[in-house]
Amino acid sequence: MSKFFSDRYASLAPYVPGEQPKEKKYIKLNTNESPFPPSKRAQKYAAAELKKLMLYPDPDCKGLTKAIANRYGVEEGQVIVNNGSDETLYFAFLAYCDKKRPAVFMDITYGFYKVFAEFTGCKYVEVPLNSDFSVPVDKLKKTKGTIFLANPNAPTGLALSKSTIEEIVAADRDRVVVVDEAYVDFGGESCVSLTEKYDNLLVTQTFSKSRSLAGARLGFGIADKGIIADLQRIKYSTNPYNVNRTTAAAGLCAMEDEKYFSSNCEKIQSTRTWTKTQLEDLGFTVTDSKANFLFAKSEKIGGEELYVALKENGVLVRHFTAEKIKDYNRITIGSQKEMQILVDKIKTILEAKQCELLKS
Ligand code: PMP
């Protein structure tokens, strides 16, 4: 840190992204990316934009916004497009949280919520998940402040039904509820349709997972027009050109390519079911994930120990050190072939551990 750095940020603990190693070729099951490339058409459209890069992009992303509105059956004024859903979430913190109005989120959830809260200097409340990782809905409804709810939750993968989300949104119509649907396309129930009925609901989604564009950085929010206008105000006060030309072009195709999208989501779900069964056969406890990852622990090996052993064997998964979840690992669903390798490596690691135990 330099001597010039503002006191305001001196004590920040920034978000720690999953490892993106360059030095060794790993099977990457640690940051919930898609194992499938963007469609051929998306690649072609993005490439065609390269020769126009001397021009600023359209700050309203009109074509893309229209495609999203069509896909979700909402009006264009109900959609905002941003640089990843992280940016939409950040805007929501700026717009709806401050010293008087806290952000409310679960103690075990997407780590960026706490970072945004600290960064924006708002108050925040962490609501503990129940011991089975379920959301204490009644407790949550009684809180005051702007709720940020990942649904399905990360890293547990557990999802709330649309009717439960509606209960939370309807319980207090004088506060905003942000539902982060980064993983909803893998078996969750979206609450986008509730934005017609509730002007206090913001749904955020991303192109990073189900639409194979993590590297492009693209996400969107859907809400009542009032909320979208608030977020646009913040976007136009910070960085109106936040979505670049190539990303917007690839995103447009990814939104229109319904067949490619749904077939990839189906593949992930069937590979998830297969992997879950394999892990359970090996004695793992695995949550009922509706996301493109599994959250699993074993009595036979510690969470960190398995993470390290897998890394040594060329497979990266994500381990978190928080006490409540330190026995677990979050494992992204890759291709069927990658998951077969993962399962084989885990078998070898557990067998080696068993031999060691017998020897001692
Ligand atoms: N929400 C959740 C729950 C996530 O796990 C992630 C991905 N790390 C994001 C939002 C951010 O996604 P994006 O790549 O669109 O910024």
Side-chain angles (χ1 to χ4, degrees):
M1 198 186 307
S2 83
K3 63 182 181 187
F4 310 107
F5 199 49
S6 165
D7 288 347
R8 220 175 342 154
Y9 303 124
S11 62
L12 273 185
Y15 179 68
V16 182
E19 296 160 271
Q20 305 288 355
K22 308 264 176 317
E23 77 285 6
K24 180 175 163 184
K25 184 126 181 52
Y26 287 98
I27 293 183
K28 251 188 114 281
L29 306 177
N30 66 331
T31 46
N32 301 339
E33 290 138 323
S34 171
F36 310 114
S39 72
K40 287 265 161 15
R41 195 168 78 100
Q43 292 182 39
K44 206 171 112 197
Y45 274 56
E49 285 300 308
L50 294 177
K51 58 178 178 291
K52 298 186 215 154
L53 286 184
M54 68 289 193
L55 302 173
Y56 284 111
D58 169 14
D60 291 330
C61 296
K62 280 194 205 72
L64 176 57
T65 302
K66 191 166 177 203
I68 295 169
N70 285 345
R71 167 66 171 73
Y72 290 95
V74 296
E75 289 178 43
E76 284 168 51
Q78 287 182 262
V79 178
I80 185 168
V81 179
N82 287 317
N83 189 297
S85 44
D86 280 342
E87 192 174 50
T88 315
L89 293 164
Y90 174 45
F91 289 174
F93 271 85
L94 290 171
Y96 305 117
C97 305
D98 46 45
K99 291 229 153 46
K100 284 196 230 120
R101 196 170 21 161
V104 180
F105 44 87
M106 301 301 130
D107 63 342
I108 301 297
T109 190
Y110 183 35
F112 229 134
Y113 302 156
K114 192 168 173 175
V115 177
F116 284 139
E118 298 271 0
F119 184 70
T120 57
C122 72
K123 269 195 164 166
Y124 63 92
V125 178
E126 291 177 279
V127 179
L129 287 181
N130 296 322
S131 58
D132 61 356
F133 299 137
S134 61
V135 172
V137 174
D138 287 329
K139 227 187 254 172
L140 185 62
K141 284 195 314 201
K142 287 189 194 122
T143 60
K144 295 268 172 259
T146 304
I147 295 180
F148 290 81
L149 196 58
N151 193 46
N153 196 11
T156 65
L158 300 184
L160 292 173
S161 66
K162 182 169 140 186
S163 57
T164 303
I165 299 275
E166 180 164 11
E167 235 185 82
I168 297 166
V169 177
D172 181 355
R173 300 201 54 174
D174 288 322
R175 64 136 139 227
V176 173
V177 177
V178 181
V179 180
D180 174 353
E181 294 190 347
Y183 300 105
V184 78
D185 297 325
F186 304 105
E189 208 182 343
S190 175
C191 55
V192 162
S193 61
L194 296 178
T195 59
E196 295 297 319
K197 198 165 156 193
Y198 297 95
D199 65 0
N200 60 323
L201 170 65
L202 166 63
V203 179
T204 62
Q205 289 201 12
T206 179
F207 284 72
S208 297
K209 320 290 176 189
S210 53
R211 297 185 191 273
S212 301
L213 288 177
R217 309 304 302 124
L218 187 61
F220 59 95
I222 298 183
D224 179 75
K225 285 179 182 170
I227 284 188
I228 297 303
D230 298 341
L231 301 177
Q232 294 284 17
R233 213 174 157 89
I234 292 190
K235 166 167 162 163
Y236 276 78
S237 306
T238 51
N239 184 9
Y241 301 118
N242 58 353
V243 174
N244 72 64
R245 286 181 163 274
T246 48
T247 291
L252 175 62
C253 294
M255 193 43 71
E256 288 177 350
D257 263 338
E258 193 63 34
K259 237 167 130 185
Y260 188 64
F261 160 79
S262 52
S263 113
N264 286 346
C265 291
E266 275 163 30
K267 279 186 209 157
I268 294 291
Q269 287 175 78
S270 66
T271 309
R272 181 180 69 205
T273 305
W274 179 86
T275 313
K276 183 171 191 268
T277 309
Q278 297 290 314
L279 291 178
E280 284 170 346
D281 288 350
L282 290 173
F284 278 79
T285 303
V286 189
T287 61
D288 180 25
S289 172
K290 300 282 187 250
N292 68 339
F293 54 81
L294 289 173
F295 197 51
K297 72 167 178 180
S298 166
E299 298 292 323
K300 298 178 195 154
I301 189 163
E304 186 172 8
E305 192 182 353
L306 178 61
Y307 157 77
V308 171
L310 280 170
K311 189 170 177 183
E312 282 165 7
N313 278 273
V315 181
L316 271 186
V317 297
R318 187 93 197 247
H319 178 255
F320 299 90
T321 50
E323 186 59 30
K324 228 168 161 173
I325 54 170
K326 68 177 180 5
D327 295 339
Y328 285 79
N329 277 294
R330 192 194 67 191
I331 305 166
T332 303
I333 302 300
S335 65
Q336 181 63 36
K337 199 170 144 200
E338 288 173 324
M339 301 324 276
Q340 180 70 62
I341 296 172
L342 167 90
V343 169
D344 292 345
K345 298 280 186 200
I346 292 179
K347 272 187 200 157
T348 314
I349 291 165
L350 291 181
E351 278 162 17
K353 194 164 163 72
Q354 185 66 22
C355 284
E356 243 174 64
L357 279 178
L358 290 176
K359 266 192 245 155
S360 61

